[in-house]
Amino acid sequence: MKSYIELKNVKKTYEIGNQKYNALDGIDLEINQGEFVVILGPSGAGKSTLLNLLGGLDKATSGSIKIGENDIAKYNDKELTRYRAHEVGFIFQFYNIMPTLTVEENINLIKDVTNTCKDSKEVLKSVGLLKHANKFPSELSGGEQQRVSIARAIMKNPKVLLCDEPTGALDSETGVEVLKLLREQSDEDTTVIIVTHNTMISEIADRIIKIKNGKVESNEINKHPKKIEEVKW
């Protein structure tokens, strides 16, 4: 695998009154293409801020963020919109799906923002939701609703899949099933990055990044990642 994501001296500073707060304070890190990455850290460490910068949802105050050959820290708003539409998939703790649309209609919303979509039926089949295609979110369990959000994210065949506490609202058994789906998405074309408090998830990761006080505390390759079935959840 080759390096696909590279951050150099990335800072994100917020002004609160007359005070400045560095949510990220000189981040340096590299992530290889196709890796399954877990980012760990306490609340307020800067994990979600980092995820927002990688996803083009926010802009760095300074530093470079290279995704492939492009430094997205230099992108303007229009370029960031295009980047989010075509290259990044987002999965959050809360599912952010439309309650008035069916499962298939929810994932087909992606077709409004990009023309690189996969076949919706094939995507639903891959996440085990084909038989629920015409159901509404209220007719689904929490785990099934999260599968809808995963299906929507992978519809565009993203190069980077960003997940913010994707199992945080699920029971452990359902969370394991969701993690299996996410683990399956990491391949030579797609890099999966999960932000979480759950240290057990790091046991299945290819790379484990620990963040504290807006800095990278460690960035290590997991030489012996476990299979999901081997982890004592």
Side-chain angles (χ1 to χ4, degrees):
M1 291 183 286
K2 62 180 180 179
S3 177
Y4 184 66
I5 297 172
E6 183 177 352
L7 281 68
K8 289 186 177 179
N9 198 27
V10 173
K11 293 186 178 181
K12 179 60 184 179
T13 304
Y14 295 99
E15 293 189 16
I16 304 175
N18 295 323
Q19 301 294 318
K20 290 186 177 181
Y21 164 66
N22 289 324
L24 295 178
D25 192 12
I27 291 280
D28 293 304
L29 64 83
E30 291 186 6
I31 293 172
N32 293 332
Q33 189 169 15
E35 284 186 321
F36 184 81
V37 181
V38 168
I39 300 177
L40 296 171
S43 295
K47 303 186 305 299
S48 292
T49 300
L50 175 57
L51 210 68
N52 288 340
L53 295 184
L54 290 172
L57 295 171
D58 203 352
K59 294 183 179 181
T61 304
S62 60
S64 66
I65 304 172
K66 288 191 71 175
I67 310 292
E69 301 299 321
N70 301 308
D71 185 355
I72 68 169
K74 296 179 179 178
Y75 279 7
N76 58 34
D77 289 341
K78 185 176 181 179
E79 289 169 326
L80 283 175
T81 297
R82 188 183 304 115
Y83 167 72
R84 291 192 301 268
H86 297 287
E87 298 189 42
V88 188
F90 297 95
I91 299 169
F92 301 100
Q93 177 176 352
F94 301 104
Y95 321 122
N96 296 329
I97 53 180
M98 301 294 291
T100 57
L101 299 180
T102 66
V103 167
E104 188 166 12
E105 288 170 341
N106 261 285
I107 71 168
N108 276 330
L109 286 174
I110 292 298
K111 293 180 178 179
D112 293 336
V113 296
T114 181
N115 58 5
T116 61
C117 290
K118 298 180 179 180
D119 178 75
S120 60
K121 292 288 194 299
E122 288 299 316
V123 170
L124 288 175
K125 183 178 179 181
S126 72
V127 299
L129 286 177
L130 187 57
K131 64 181 180 181
H132 299 308
N134 295 317
K135 288 185 178 180
F136 291 93
S138 60
E139 301 175 273
L140 305 176
S141 67
E144 288 168 340
Q145 290 184 57
Q146 186 62 298
R147 285 170 183 259
V148 176
S149 68
I150 293 172
R152 182 181 56 197
I154 65 177
M155 264 287 285
K156 66 172 77 170
N157 200 23
K159 294 179 180 178
V160 182
L161 189 58
L162 301 174
C163 315
D164 195 351
E165 295 285 2
T167 62
L170 305 174
D171 61 76
S172 59
E173 184 177 349
T174 306
V176 167
E177 292 302 313
V178 166
L179 286 173
K180 284 181 180 179
L181 280 175
L182 294 176
R183 191 69 175 89
E184 290 169 1
Q185 304 310 313
S186 62
D187 55 31
E188 60 183 19
D189 295 321
T190 303
T191 303
V192 178
I193 302 175
I194 295 180
V195 159
T196 182
H197 292 92
N198 189 341
T199 57
M200 287 187 293
I201 298 178
S202 66
E203 296 182 39
I204 66 172
D206 299 316
R207 181 183 296 271
I208 304 164
I209 298 171
K210 294 182 179 179
I211 293 183
K212 187 176 182 180
N213 297 325
K215 295 179 179 292
V216 173
E217 191 173 47
S218 63
N219 179 7
E220 299 177 350
I221 297 291
N222 184 5
K223 294 181 179 178
H224 304 289
K226 292 183 178 180
K227 295 180 180 179
I228 292 178
E229 296 79 8
E230 296 174 332
V231 180
K232 295 181 179 179
W233 304 97

